Amino acid sequence: MPQTPPFTGQLNAGSYNKNLYQTKEESFPGLYYHDNNLVSGSLEALVHHLVPTVDYYPDRTYIFTFLLSSRLLIHPYELMTKVCHLCMEQQRLGDAQADKIRVRKIAPKIIQLLTEWTETFPCDFRDERMMRSLKELTHRLTSGDEVYRKAVGQMSQGLIRRLTVLSQYEEALVKINATAAERLTALKAKPQAGIQRDMLSICNDPFTVAQQLTHIELERLSYIGPEEFVQAFVQKDPLDNDKRCFSDHKKASNLEAYVEWFNRLSYLVATEICMPVKKKHRARVIEFFIDVARECFNIGNFNSLMAIISGMNMSPVSRLKKTWSKVKTAKFDILEHQMDPSSNFYNYRTALRGATQRSLTANSSREKIVVPFFSLLIKDIYFLNEGCANRLPNGHINFEKFWELAKQVSEFMTWKKVECPFEKDRKILQHLLTAPVFTEDALYLASYESEGPENNMEKDRWKSLRSSLLNRV
């Protein structure tokens, strides 16, 4: 039977050319092309276009694009219901007297479509309604044929394995967060007990810390499903009578967890800088994290780089003027220039293109690493979604928008598949993931305790924080 080739993650600007797949289904009423590229269509026509026939199989870029973006308009389980209905109606799979030769021709193609769906969007099948439809359709396809039964068995096992691994990861995240909360509680109870447990006491090599940060980034990237980018922005479709839009399951939990990791790293850097009592030690910590950030840039880990810069630019850190006067800031200035937000992050986008090109021609696994500044990636997708309507004035689906969404997400799909080549250091990872981090108020208090308030507003805030956090006047 046809095998599912690995998804390349690249969609050409020309998108899907209908001349490559000339079949009856191509001319299904309701599909519209411009320069041989599919640009719009009715939902019914686009669903028909997804379903294989005896002499037609949809282009893989179309499958990915439609499965990804159709959730802006229809629940995945509703799409699966339509696909199952079409398969049974068109191919007479529900008919016990159906032509067995016809079924043998179509079954491998339907199984391949289902395999691509379960491999690329496994989280869709956390919905029991999806699983019921999948089992019903595959049962009809495989009845009486051992070859197809085996293929379906492999597909089902692969899906269960992916969902199990995903659940284990999510459970591990809960445990990590619980440990971090426990350590913070312990620190509040006995502040002096954890005061020396800083990054430099665990590892003073910036390159090693940058490698461990990259481990965390690549692991967390790998568990974000492509559908999360779209489901994070799902809104009520005016033509959909169902008022519940993905309200029955978590839409983008791993994406949200990844954003939370960025925030944690920023606050961890700020905490490590504000924690030391001595100015000389604070300056040394700043210089250390500047070097870590530079190593992240060299690796292609832009997310950790930006998180570190964000931590250093937090007000409680940036106000430590006496500390910064002891720091050689030339390297930091260069990094800030690379991540300068002006001209829509032009410098960063140029560096990202360079890293992406390096990844495409890489001779080693290290050269393949590209960890984008994630918040900006989400922002780009958000504005693409907000800036283009899902439907055209005639009610048809705006498929040009779907192509653009798929192009952005498919590039991410390539980046997230890279395996981290660096050796893990459990102690460093444990610190990065669970070390207590100060709240913004606690950071300000530590900052004022290190370098006193400079004006009346800061003095008032210092007194207020001492009263509320330390129960002192």
Side-chain angles (χ1 to χ4, degrees), residues 1-68:
M1 65 173 286
Q3 296 298 307
T4 305
F7 185 67
T8 61
Q10 298 297 320
L11 288 171
N12 297 325
S15 303
Y16 166 51
N17 189 311
K18 70 172 184 176
N19 289 334
L20 297 176
Y21 293 87
Q22 287 286 358
T23 71
K24 289 183 294 181
E25 281 66 27
E26 295 283 335
S27 56
F28 186 86
L31 291 181
Y32 293 88
Y33 295 82
H34 179 71
D35 292 337
N36 288 325
N37 293 320
L38 180 61
V39 293
S40 70
S42 67
L43 183 58
E44 182 187 9
L46 293 168
V47 174
H48 268 269
H49 204 46
L50 180 69
V51 177
T53 65
V54 170
D55 51 4
Y56 163 75
Y57 188 79
D59 180 58
R60 297 200 70 225
T61 56
Y62 177 79
I63 295 172
F64 176 75
T65 301
F66 189 62
L67 291 181
L68 174 72

Side-chain angles (χ1 to χ4, degrees), residues 209-350:
V209 174
Q211 289 179 334
Q212 301 312 302
L213 286 170
T214 305
H215 259 296
I216 296 170
E217 298 282 356
L218 287 174
E219 180 186 49
R220 299 206 171 192
L221 270 186
S222 70
Y223 286 102
I224 298 172
E227 73 284 349
E228 293 193 44
F229 289 98
V230 175
Q231 288 176 187
F233 308 128
V234 164
Q235 294 178 345
K236 178 83 170 64
D237 179 24
L239 299 185
D240 182 6
N241 293 322
D242 188 349
K243 294 179 181 177
R244 295 174 300 104
C245 207
F246 294 105
S247 60
D248 52 348
H249 68 283
K250 291 181 181 178
K251 296 190 293 184
S253 59
N254 292 322
L255 184 149
E256 289 163 6
Y258 190 51
V259 172
E260 287 168 8
W261 153 249
F262 178 95
N263 295 336
R264 173 184 165 77
L265 180 54
S266 294
Y267 273 84
L268 177 63
V269 169
T271 300
E272 296 269 348
I273 294 169
C274 291
M275 204 164 47
V277 176
K278 293 183 178 179
K279 176 173 58 181
K280 184 179 179 182
H281 190 183
R282 291 195 299 274
R284 185 174 167 224
V285 174
I286 290 175
E287 290 186 336
F288 174 75
F289 276 109
I290 289 172
D291 288 338
V292 172
R294 186 176 65 169
E295 295 297 347
C296 287
F297 179 83
N298 292 337
I299 289 171
N301 180 358
F302 298 105
N303 202 54
S304 289
L305 163 63
M306 193 61 178
I308 293 170
I309 291 174
S310 297
M312 290 185 175
N313 282 332
M314 290 175 74
S315 295
V317 177
S318 61
R319 67 167 297 280
L320 298 171
K321 293 174 184 174
K322 292 176 184 176
T323 303
W324 280 97
S325 70
K326 301 290 183 183
V327 175
K328 297 173 184 175
T329 57
K331 287 183 285 188
F332 184 63
D333 293 340
I334 292 170
L335 293 173
E336 278 207 303
H337 176 71
Q338 287 290 348
M339 305 306 284
D340 183 356
S342 62
S343 301
N344 194 18
F345 286 90
Y346 177 81
N347 294 338
Y348 158 70
R349 293 182 190 277
T350 302

Side-chain angles (χ1 to χ4, degrees), residues 452-460:
E454 294 184 350
N455 53 52
N456 289 331
M457 189 175 74
E458 286 193 345
K459 284 178 184 176
D460 290 342

